[in-house]
Amino acid sequence: MASAEPGRVSSVTDLLSHGRGGPTALRIVLGTQLRRLREERGIRPEEAGRAIRASHAKISRLELGRVAAKERDVADLLTLYGVVDAPRRTELLELTRQAGNPGWWQKYSDVLPNWFETLIGLEEAASVIRTYEVQFIPGLLQTPDYARACIALGHPRETPRQINRRVELRLERQQLLRRQRAPKLWAVVDEAALHRPLGGAAAMRAQIDHLRELAELPNVTIQIAPFHLGGLATAGAPVTILRFLEPDLPDIVYLEQLNSALYLDKRDDVEDYMAVMDTLCASAEPDSRTPEFLSRLSFPDPPVPGGGRA
């Protein structure tokens, strides 16, 4: 977990008022607050579980932010933990209410797995998102046609409607880059992804133009890891690191697999991946060269049988 830094949000009230408090992040903050209060009182999880008529396993899930908490349960826990100060109780109960609100992404629950829902919620609260991709353009930077080709490749058994729903979800997810207080996105794209014409030549040309446009946004940095680098510190695996203003939210490493994902927040793990990402960024082409690099890419239409081009 990263230590508090100058400029980081210092209280729950500030977090709620800063507009970055999506329900996923708020659940984690609430859980951290509840765990701290329990430990300060020397109360075991089993005792806390009995106070809300639940198992110690539920207390663990609440403190990790993996489930939404009921206001009644939080009120009972606060009483058990000796929190009698009215403003403090009000603050934590308001946090509970907001953490229980559905995120905008819930309308895509038909195509949204739980393991990926967590990432979207964390992106909503992040102040900095650092990501490295080797096979694809990062999802936050994809055009509709490119996204459709990627999604169809990864979900070959889904119907066109399901594919379209996933594309809609990805496009709505991208809106966070253009909102007020947008997070800083720092993306490193492997050159291999830029030469793989997913969706066809026309779709790839549009995707490259889109990258040029996004690279001009003040909160977006795009670097390219060229072929001549040889081996990369990440060993070819995509990595995303999310950082937050709220000190009760640890830095989180997201590692996506085909049908699941890992979320790492232990300090040693995060620092290892942060060092790898720093090395990768130092080795990749400077972002000032990205427009020139992209301008050299060419995706001609395939030849039409009998002559000419499609």
Side-chain angles (χ1 to χ4, degrees):
M1 182 183 298
S3 59
E5 300 172 356
R8 282 203 164 195
V9 178
S10 59
S11 73
V12 172
T13 301
D14 287 340
L15 175 67
L16 295 175
S17 65
H18 269 65
R20 289 191 189 274
T24 302
L26 295 181
R27 285 201 306 267
I28 296 173
V29 172
L30 175 64
T32 300
Q33 299 270 332
L34 291 174
R35 184 183 70 247
R36 184 178 296 134
L37 289 168
R38 178 180 61 77
E39 291 175 346
E40 286 173 352
R41 289 285 176 169
I43 295 173
R44 293 180 295 111
E46 292 81 3
E47 297 175 72
R50 286 195 292 271
I52 62 170
R53 303 152 295 280
S55 66
H56 72 278
K58 180 175 180 180
I59 294 297
S60 176
R61 291 194 296 271
L62 286 176
E63 291 181 352
L64 291 171
R66 292 178 180 171
V67 294
K70 297 178 181 178
E71 284 187 59
R72 182 187 69 177
D73 289 344
V74 172
D76 289 345
L77 289 173
L78 294 178
T79 299
L80 177 66
Y81 300 157
V83 180
V84 296
D85 179 67
R88 178 63 170 153
R89 288 180 68 94
T90 298
E91 179 184 63
L92 288 171
L93 290 174
E94 176 61 22
L95 177 60
T96 304
R97 282 190 286 273
Q98 293 202 30
N101 291 334
W104 61 261
W105 51 89
Q106 292 300 319
K107 62 187 175 184
Y108 295 103
S109 59
D110 54 324
V111 294
L112 181 61
N114 290 337
W115 57 266
F116 192 71
E117 176 182 343
T118 300
L119 174 67
I120 296 178
L122 292 173
E123 286 177 341
E124 287 288 307
S127 60
V128 179
I129 302 170
R130 299 181 69 181
T131 187
Y132 166 69
E133 282 280 358
V134 61
Q135 186 172 359
F136 304 111
I137 307 298
L140 289 173
L141 303 176
Q142 293 178 2
T143 63
D145 287 341
Y146 185 93
R148 183 170 287 104
C150 288
I151 291 168
L153 188 64
H155 302 276
R157 296 186 296 172
E158 293 202 344
T159 65
R161 180 188 176 280
Q162 289 173 312
I163 298 295
N164 287 336
R165 289 281 290 162
R166 289 183 182 275
V167 173
E168 291 170 9
L169 168 61
R170 186 161 300 183
L171 296 180
E172 189 161 354
R173 175 181 157 219
Q174 294 172 0
Q175 292 179 15
L176 68 88
L177 295 179
R178 299 179 184 270
R179 72 184 183 194
Q180 284 191 325
R181 290 190 292 272
K184 166 71 175 176
L185 175 65
W186 187 353
V188 179
V189 183
D190 196 281
E191 184 177 353
L194 299 174
H195 287 279
R196 188 172 289 113
L198 289 173
M204 199 63 193
R205 287 195 296 267
Q207 176 63 69
I208 296 302
D209 288 342
H210 187 57
L211 288 179
R212 287 198 197 95
E213 176 188 339
L214 290 174
E216 295 178 357
L217 294 178
N219 60 310
V220 175
T221 298
I222 301 175
Q223 289 183 265
I224 297 168
F227 288 135
H228 67 70
L229 282 183
L232 297 175
T234 59
V239 178
T240 296
I241 303 174
L242 303 108
R243 304 207 70 191
F244 307 90
L245 293 175
E246 165 58 43
D248 280 337
L249 276 171
D251 296 341
I252 293 176
V253 175
Y254 171 76
L255 304 173
E256 185 170 323
Q257 302 167 347
L258 180 61
N259 291 314
S260 62
L262 294 175
Y263 293 87
L264 309 178
D265 64 1
K266 295 187 184 306
R267 182 174 185 139
D268 286 347
D269 291 336
V270 172
E271 289 184 349
D272 285 345
Y273 277 96
M274 192 71 76
V276 165
M277 187 69 79
D278 287 344
T279 299
L280 178 61
C281 292
S283 303
E285 292 289 321
D287 63 291
S288 60
R289 297 182 186 173
T290 296
E292 177 189 357
F293 197 107
L294 294 175
S295 69
R296 296 199 302 265
L297 299 172
S298 176
F299 297 94
D301 290 320
V304 175
R309 290 194 174 273

